[in-house]
Every structure is written in structure tokens, then in C-alpha cells.
Amino acid sequence: MRCRSGRCTARRKKVLAARGDLQVLAPQYRFRGRATQHVVSAATGEILKVSRPRLDPTVAELLIDSIAEQEADETSRLVTSDIAGSLCQKIASVNVERSARDQLAMPADITIARWIKKTVPASELTQRRVGKDLARKLFRANGARVSARRILQFVQFDDVDVRVFAIDPDTGLPWGTPMFTFGVDEYSRAVMGANPGPETRTTETAVSTILGAMRKKNMGELMLSKCQRQWVQCGQFGLAILDNAVYNTTEPFKLAMLDLGVDYAYSKPHEPTNKSVVEGFNRTFKHIFAASKPGACVKKNNRDGLDPAMRAAKLTLEELVQDAMRWVVDEYMHTRGEDGRSASERWEEQVASVDLRAPRMDCAEFAEFILPGTLAFRASGGLERKHLRYQNDRLEDLRRSLGHSHRVNYRVNPENLEQIFVADPLAEEWFLVPCVEDPNYVRGLTERQHQLTKTFAREAKGQSRLAMQQLSAARDDMRDSVSKLETSRLIASRRQAFLIKYAFRGHPAARDARSAADRVQIKGEHRPAHSLGMPACEVADVQEIVQSKPSRLNLLTKAMDSARLDDSPTVKGECARKKF
């Protein structure tokens, strides 16, 4: 029967005011004792009110000691029964020395529970009884942050697993799910930049996403080939909000942000509300775009859902990336939100009054994939970076001038480890230093290829320090293992094979093999007869599954490709003379 009076509302308000404590509905004062006691005066016969505490002071001290003992024990859940047992023992030991008239009484459980709430902080009590996750959600302390009131004020960046299985175009078997890194403007909710790929996220992908968000978009890129509209969002933003992943806190990342003039801040761990805009976009991306694609899996930890998703996979990485960017540019950016405006309309409202500045660069040579860092001189001369040695005469002269233990600034292009740029603080310019390792190994070597080769060699040899001959042999063995891994029944092995082929897709050996290869029929599909210089029956074809972005490197990269590495390979021109 529905209550027609206001009692239900009053009770509900009373419970809410007590923060959910249902005891306020049935106080049961007779079990709590009385704060005042009526006493008849023997002299005058009047009734007097004598105040007394509800709990005996000695019992209160013993109760506080019992709670402190349980609180000191990290494994204790601070429940009433445990503290009541400890308190009962303390009271019994005290009553032995007291007379029968002065015996201490054991307080009620509800009194003990009330004292626990008064003594122990609510956050710690919830953490002990329920767990850290719920306590973190209920008692998180988020400082107030200024909300974005215009475009390009705050841009939030985050990584997301697309949760759609992609297939290997060579075998037609699923190899795994790719990753995306998005940058979303906080005010307009417009996507500023994106960086897709099969590999795990690194410092390179983080810097590439941030720089891509600031630069004008080239609609001729392969991943934007299906877009019907223009992607106009670009410009230097005020603050980049990132999560505190390891690759976002490295020294190269911080130096790259300094060169670009980008201020950045980290969100708190396990606090998605600090980046609510990009987190909301990721949720929309997964639930609307990814869920509609063949090979989509809602929860990757559900094995029953993975098998049907892998059997339904039909898209390659290239097709999946193109469809994703078409959805972002053509659909998401022009879908109206709760305020009746789309992300593109919010952007257009303020773009006329905002200065869309290009990325600021302290060095004109800075390019998208050139990451900075510092290295110390080797005792035997030269510089060493990840088991690769760099040396020439000018670097040796600089070592003599600065000292054998001095650290110098350098820049390296992860897509070309054949040479690095080193800063000369005396001449205030940059100069090229070539790699002096085996030319057959270094030619066309990228950061990803070198890292995969080192990992493969360490697992095979069981050594942390590897010689160049071992790395060269490991790279050949790794290529040979691709044909076995790409048809394995284990998806982890197929993913490893795809990552190897993806990393070596632009290697000179792979390009030479593709240009000289014949077409053969395998499983009803055509594929090159040679791969990485090996017969097709032994090694799988390495083809460009996702073509690399058109080169957006600036004067420094062009100088690196065209400069002559002689005894004094200083890059001439204005770009090399730029102060740093």
C-alpha cells in the first residue's frame, strides 16, 4: 500500500542526511544509556538532573586501545566482532582488580560500531572491508581543474584497443587486434589526431600523435583515402593531458615536447574522469564503430566470445584503419550531441577567433619521428646507443674538447638508424655521425626492427650483451621463423609473425625481393615467390600491409638523406646553423 503521507519522504531524507545509516529510523535509545540521570536530593527532596557520559571513561579508553590495535594490523577488516572480542578481554582483566559493585559493563555492539566509525576514517574503513577499488571510487580526491572554454585549450590523449580481429593478407588468419591513439579537443569534442598500428604503444607513437594533432592533415594519405569530408582540425594547443604510462614519461618524450613547445600534464592513475572527453570518445568508438565490424569481440577476456570473433574476421589492418578514419571524419565529427551541435560545428564556431599556429620548434630540423636524447662518450671513443656505435673524426675532436665523460645531446630518426645528429655546444650547430657497425645489418635499419632483433637474439642466446654477428644471425633466423609462426595455431605466434613482417615491410631486402619476385598461386591467391631474399616456400612474403605515411619530414631529414658522411659531415645551410 502506497504511503499517502509525507512520512516516507521524511524518513528518506533522514537516512540521506545520516549518509545511509538506517539506525536513524529505529534509534533504540534504551540500549545506548542516557546522557542525563534524574536523582532525588536527600537534603531538599527535589529532583535533579545529573549529567553523565553514555560510556564509562575507562571502557572508552579500552575501546580506543582495541580499535588502535586492530587498525595497526594491516590484515584486519576492522569488524565489530573482532574489536568486541579484544575489548571483552581487556574489560575482564580490569574487573579482576575491581569490586563487585564497580564492575565495568561490556558496551553493546552498536556502540562499538559507532565508535569505530568515529575513530577510523571512512576511506580506510571501506578499503579494509570492501577493497581498494571501491574505496578509490568513493573517496577519490580530485582537485578542481579549469574547464575548457574554447577550442585548443586542452587536448586529451589516450590509447584504445579497437577490439576487432584483423587478418593477415598472406594467410587469411587472424593475428590480433590493433591499437589506436587518439587526441580529442576537450571543448569541441573534435578528434585532433590519430595514430593506428599493430604494435604496442611507444614514445614514438605518442610524439607522432601529438605532432599529427597540431599539423594540417594530408587527405592524400592512405589511411584517409576513404574519407569524403575534410579533416580541418589542427593548430598548437595549450595543454596536452596524458596518462602516466611509461612511454609518456621518458626523457626523449619530454625533450620532444620541449622542442615542440607543448605543455603537458598527467592524469591520476585509475581516474578516467581526469580525461573524461577522450575516454568517452573511446567508449563510443568501441561500442558504435568497432562493434559493427566483422571480427569484433566485446570482451577479450571472454574465451567463448573470442573464437566466433576470430572466425568472423575479414578485414586486414589497412582496411580496418581506413574504415575507422572514415567513421571518425565523416560520421562522428558531424553527429549532433546532447547540446544539438556536432563536434565540427563547435569547432567552426570559434575557429575564426582562434590563432591556428603551427607547431613551435626550437630547432628547424625537428621532424615528426626524430626523437632527442643525451648520450655519454664511450671510454674508447664515440657514442653507443642500443648496441650501435657511432663515430667520426669530428665527434672525436668534440670528445677531446669537452672531456671523456661529457654528455652530449643527439637526435635520431627511428626510421633510419644509419646515422644520428649530435649537437656541438661549441659551434652551436648539429652535425651528422654515421654508424660504424656492419653495413649489411645497419642498412635500412629502423628502431622497431632493431628492437625485435635484440629481443629474438636474447631469447635464443640467453645473453643480455650481444655481439653484432649474433644480431645479424638472429635477424636472419627471425625472418626464417616467420613462415612457421604465421600459420601457427596459437594467435600469439601469428601476432609475432605479423609484427615482424610489419616491422620489415620497408626494409631494403624486402623491397629488392618484391621487385624481383614472380607471382605464384597459393590457396587461390597471388603472392610474391620471394620474401626477404628467401624462397617463398621457406619464408612468408613481407608486403606493405599498411603503407607508411607520406614523408612529412622537414629540412633536417632531407639533409640527413642527402648529406655526405665525410670526415666533417656538417650540414650546410640555415637549418643546421639554427641555435639550439
Side-chain angles (χ1 to χ4, degrees), residues 164-168 175 289 293-294 312-320 323:
V164 176
F165 282 97
I167 63 172
D168 189 335
W175 56 265
F289 166 76
K293 294 299 177 182
K314 297 180 180 179
L315 299 176
T316 63
L317 177 61
E318 176 183 339
E319 296 170 344
L320 183 59
D323 291 347

Side-chain angles (χ1 to χ4, degrees), residues 354-530:
V354 176
D355 182 16
L356 298 181
R357 296 174 297 164
R360 181 184 70 82
M361 300 182 183
D362 288 342
C363 299
E365 318 73 43
F366 186 88
E368 177 176 358
F369 291 113
I370 295 183
L371 298 180
T374 59
L375 287 174
F377 288 111
R378 300 172 67 243
S380 57
L383 300 173
E384 182 176 357
R385 181 183 180 272
K386 297 186 177 181
H387 297 174
L388 296 179
R389 295 173 297 167
Y390 297 87
Q391 177 64 297
N392 65 358
D393 293 341
R394 179 167 181 177
L395 184 64
E396 185 63 24
D397 296 340
L398 183 64
R399 186 173 76 99
R400 296 193 187 100
S401 302
L402 299 178
H404 299 287
S405 60
H406 195 275
R407 299 184 68 88
V408 294
N409 297 324
Y410 76 94
R411 282 190 174 87
V412 61
N413 182 2
E415 299 298 323
N416 180 16
L417 301 185
E418 297 183 40
Q419 52 201 5
I420 63 174
F421 263 85
V422 178
D424 187 347
L426 303 179
E428 295 186 349
E429 63 182 12
W430 298 86
F431 63 97
L432 280 170
V433 181
C435 183
V436 294
E437 301 293 352
D438 184 9
N440 295 329
Y441 178 80
V442 177
R443 185 171 67 98
L445 184 66
T446 66
E447 187 86 4
R448 184 61 179 168
Q449 296 171 5
H450 187 51
Q451 185 63 35
L452 288 173
T453 304
K454 290 195 302 179
T455 303
F456 188 87
R458 287 169 179 169
E459 293 177 355
K461 303 295 182 181
Q463 302 175 1
S464 59
R465 186 67 180 180
L466 302 170
M468 187 53 57
Q469 295 80 3
Q470 293 176 321
L471 291 177
S472 300
R475 187 172 66 177
D476 297 336
D477 296 341
M478 181 174 59
R479 294 173 183 172
D480 296 342
S481 65
V482 170
S483 59
K484 299 178 181 178
L485 295 175
E486 67 178 357
T487 56
S488 173
R489 299 184 61 181
L490 300 177
I491 191 171
S493 300
R494 298 199 299 268
R495 178 181 180 84
Q496 183 180 1
F498 184 84
L499 291 177
I500 294 174
K501 294 193 295 183
Y502 185 82
F504 284 89
R505 67 192 185 279
H507 195 268
R511 291 196 297 265
D512 298 342
R514 282 195 300 271
S515 61
D518 298 328
R519 308 296 293 186
V520 297
Q521 188 81 9
I522 296 181
K523 295 182 180 180
E525 297 181 359
H526 289 282
R527 59 186 290 185
H530 295 77

Side-chain angles (χ1 to χ4, degrees), residues 556-574:
L556 177 62
T557 310
K558 296 178 181 179
M560 292 175 65
D561 296 335
S562 60
R564 196 178 53 175
L565 302 180
D566 52 12
D567 293 338
S568 180
T570 303
V571 179
K572 306 298 182 181
E574 182 180 356

